[in-house]
Amino acid sequence: MKPGAVAIVGAAETTELGVVPGMAEIQLHADAALNAMRDAGLKPSDIDGVATAVTQPQAIAHYLGITPTWVDGTSVGGCSFMLHVRHAAAAIESGLCRTVLITHGESGRSGIGLGRPQVLPASLAGQFELPYGTFGPPTMFTIPVLRYMKTYGLTEEHLANVAVIQREWAAQNPRATLRTPITVADVLNSKMIAWPFRLLMCCLVTDGGGALILTAADRAKDFPQRPVYLLGTGESVETPMISQMADFTSSRAFRVAGAKAFAEAGITHGDVDHLMIYDAFAHLPIYGLEDLGFVGRGEAGAFIAERHTAPGGKLPTNTNGGGLSYMHSGMYGMYALQESVRQVRGIAPAQVPDVEVSVCHGVGGMFAASGTIIMGRERP
Amino acid sequence: MPDPKRARPQPTPETRHYWEGAKAGELRLQRCDACNHTYFPPRPFCPACASRAVSVFRASGRARLYSYVISHRPAPGFTPPYSIAVVELEEGPRMMTNIVGCPQTPEALVLDMPVEVAFPPLDDDISLPVFRPAGSAA
């Protein structure tokens, strides 16, 4: 993608986030989509590209009354929306469509109208992982961490501190699910989920949705909101089985997606004013900071403890409170993208001053997939 | 017999040798005849060089504890807390497993400790490879 060729011109979350028992998943998609179209001043008939994950794009197109000339149903977990942004940019640049709507809706807490895939007993994960009592992400995503801790001397306090600092951000955000300040001791004394992970090191489980609208940068100035330009994008996958991740201390998918996005954008780490790293669990920002190259291997725990990612720090990170404190419906990537858009537009509840460049990094499955999107305020 | 609600693997033509081996008390891996790469999980070609010439062989059953969690969540057929672990086999590949035959505590489950395979039956058809501290066999 040519840096700055495509822009985000509409962005919104569902009207309500958190516990939304009055909406099925498809309506969470639609509620966010209608909000994003209002944000962009568009109607369904103005949209000619549709992308979504888990729910099929035809379901969204039909429900909203859209006749697309391009669809993308890439479904690789919570970073699917980062990949949709990347694919949509390529589609718009090559003329396959003009205006793309990317939607997410998930009734993760209330479970109304779920479309979630199951692990089948004849799949490789069904044969070689599930029989050992894996029971959702808290028992799988967490497995590599003890190896990381032994390799680099990361402590349980380092992990706890990730949650403490993100709660500081959440405290500034009226829409965050959890806003009460917490201490390292609070985190370490919270309910044990899967040692060494306590409850407060694990993401929320909530209901919500979000939607983005993308178009060519040449058209972007005609829309009501300040455009957010796409500077660089990257994606990759590694393995659907956490046990087969090649290096338990580093994600190959993170490294590949991140490097691709930085190279495409032509920026250095010093150019980054704001960072989002999908935090399903407290170790994700640690792996992300290292695999994206913001710090060296084994340095992220101390970097966070030194408050560099905290309010007032040099690299404000997960400024909405993250999956740990803001919201996490199951596929959090859309909310990370929304926060990057808000920060670049300058309208975030915990606004960082003068955000020119925001990096938004997502994970899918348990280190299975990754997508990195770099956004900018000015067209290069 | 463990809880009937417990998840059971469903072998496919590509993995049947592994599950037949487990039932016979053998941990079976595959090795590429062309490049000598040993790999897991099973597939009828080499993931390193794509050769279809591969052989099944009996692994030593010796491994070291590579990483794990101790799950405190209820799961069908398991009594929390229980370990969900990844071991690194002597032959190189890593696999998920449970560590049995020792307390399910951080003190008893020490990274890099040697472990060895055991094959408790899940039912008449499936025996599931698990690992216990080396030398602890009754």
Side-chain angles (χ1 to χ4, degrees):
Chain A
M1 190 195 73
K2 185 165 172 285
V6 173
I8 295 168
V9 295
E13 294 171 348
T14 42
T15 308
E16 290 180 68
L17 289 178
V19 184
V20 192
M23 283 190 195
E25 278 193 350
I26 190 142
Q27 184 56 31
L28 291 166
H29 282 264
D31 185 60
L34 293 170
N35 287 343
M37 285 189 273
R38 188 184 57 205
D39 185 60
L42 295 176
K43 306 181 295 299
S45 56
D46 299 317
I47 306 290
D48 61 359
V50 172
T52 192
V54 177
T55 300
Q56 295 201 310
Q58 61 267 42
I60 299 304
H62 181 257
Y63 196 65
L64 287 166
I66 294 167
T67 303
T69 64
W70 176 87
V71 297
D72 181 10
T74 300
S75 193
V76 293
C79 67
S80 298
F81 315 103
M82 282 78 173
L83 276 66
H84 296 153
V85 167
R86 185 166 201 253
H87 302 171
I92 290 165
E93 262 199 294
S94 63
L96 301 182
C97 54
R98 278 164 55 91
T99 310
V100 171
L101 171 70
I102 303 169
T103 72
H104 159 69
E106 195 166 19
S107 186
R109 173 71 171 268
S110 301
I112 312 295
L114 291 178
R116 191 166 294 181
Q118 301 287 318
V119 177
L120 299 173
S123 69
L124 292 177
Q127 293 184 67
F128 300 110
E129 291 195 339
L130 199 58
Y132 295 106
T134 59
F135 207 67
T139 61
M140 290 186 278
F141 217 155
T142 49
I143 288 176
V145 168
L146 284 185
R147 175 55 54 181
Y148 181 106
M149 292 169 80
K150 177 164 181 175
T151 303
Y152 292 118
L154 187 86
T155 64
E156 294 175 64
E157 287 75 14
H158 282 133
L159 281 175
N161 200 43
V162 174
V164 170
I165 286 174
Q166 291 198 195
R167 187 63 64 83
E168 291 182 28
W169 285 113
Q172 302 181 35
N173 188 342
R175 266 164 76 87
T177 302
L178 298 175
R179 295 194 298 272
T180 308
I182 51 174
T183 65
V184 167
D186 291 335
V187 178
L188 293 178
N189 291 325
S190 64
K191 184 182 173 190
M192 188 65 78
I193 300 295
W195 190 84
F197 282 81
R198 280 75 164 183
L199 181 65
L200 293 177
M201 299 173 182
C202 304
C203 68
L204 300 160
V205 181
T206 50
D207 306 323
L212 295 168
I213 296 172
L214 282 70
T215 195
D218 292 340
R219 296 176 64 207
K221 61 184 180 305
D222 302 331
F223 288 80
Q225 306 295 341
R226 176 183 200 122
V228 173
Y229 296 98
L230 299 181
L231 304 183
T233 65
E235 69 187 276
S236 192
V237 296
E238 185 176 349
T239 165
M241 300 170 73
I242 190 71
S243 62
Q244 301 306 310
M245 182 180 183
D247 180 348
F248 275 26
T249 71
S250 172
S251 163
R252 188 189 77 189
F254 281 16
R255 297 193 307 269
V256 172
K260 191 93 179 158
F262 272 81
E264 192 170 85
I267 63 165
T268 66
H269 293 85
D271 296 324
V272 178
D273 304 305
H274 171 253
L275 176 62
M276 297 298 291
I277 299 175
Y278 190 132
D279 58 323
F281 295 91
H283 59 309
L284 269 295
I286 292 170
Y287 282 62
L289 282 166
E290 296 177 11
D291 291 338
L292 292 172
F294 285 98
V295 298
R297 298 280 288 269
E299 295 176 358
F303 185 80
I304 293 169
E306 289 158 9
R307 299 191 57 79
H308 295 307
T309 63
K314 66 181 179 188
L315 185 60
T317 301
N318 292 345
T319 48
N320 58 356
L324 295 176
S325 289
Y326 178 61
M327 87 85 67
H328 194 296
S329 57
M331 293 191 290
Y332 167 80
M334 175 58 81
Y335 309 96
L337 289 164
Q338 295 286 336
E339 176 68 6
S340 280
V341 170
R342 287 191 293 262
Q343 289 285 349
V344 174
R345 284 181 174 180
I347 60 164
Q351 181 64 45
V352 173
D354 304 318
V355 174
E356 295 281 343
V357 174
S358 174
V359 172
C360 189
H361 180 73
V363 66
M366 273 64 81
F367 289 120
S370 186
T372 310
I373 302 296
I374 303 179
M375 304 179 197
R377 187 157 63 186
E378 305 301 334
R379 188 176 180 184
Chain B
M1 283 286 158
D3 192 316
K5 292 190 295 290
R6 187 167 161 170
R8 277 169 171 63
Q10 194 176 99
T12 65
E14 296 79 14
T15 65
R16 192 152 284 126
H17 67 271
Y18 178 87
W19 294 111
E20 287 174 356
K23 196 177 171 187
E26 294 185 5
L27 186 67
R28 292 181 182 164
L29 293 175
Q30 287 168 303
R31 185 188 293 125
C32 177
D33 298 339
C35 78
N36 215 35
H37 178 60
T38 299
Y39 63 91
F40 177 87
R43 72 208 83 168
F45 62 92
C46 173
C49 77
S51 167
R52 291 175 187 266
V54 297
S55 301
V56 174
F57 71 100
R58 179 179 182 168
S60 69
R62 290 188 292 271
R64 65 177 177 125
L65 178 56
Y66 193 70
S67 204
Y68 68 93
V69 292
I70 302 170
S71 180
H72 288 247
R73 287 162 53 96
F78 287 83
T79 304
Y82 64 96
S83 60
I84 304 172
V86 172
V87 295
E88 187 167 277
L89 301 172
E90 194 173 66
E91 293 80 6
R94 294 188 201 126
M95 59 181 285
M96 188 173 281
T97 192
N98 304 120
I99 307 298
V100 301
C102 69
Q104 302 294 288
T105 62
E107 293 73 27
L109 296 164
V110 179
L111 254 53
D112 299 313
M113 72 185 211
V115 293
E116 60 194 17
V117 72
F119 300 95
L122 273 188
D123 57 27
D124 289 344
D125 298 320
I126 296 289
S127 292
L128 188 68
V130 299
F131 286 75
R132 60 192 171 204
S136 69

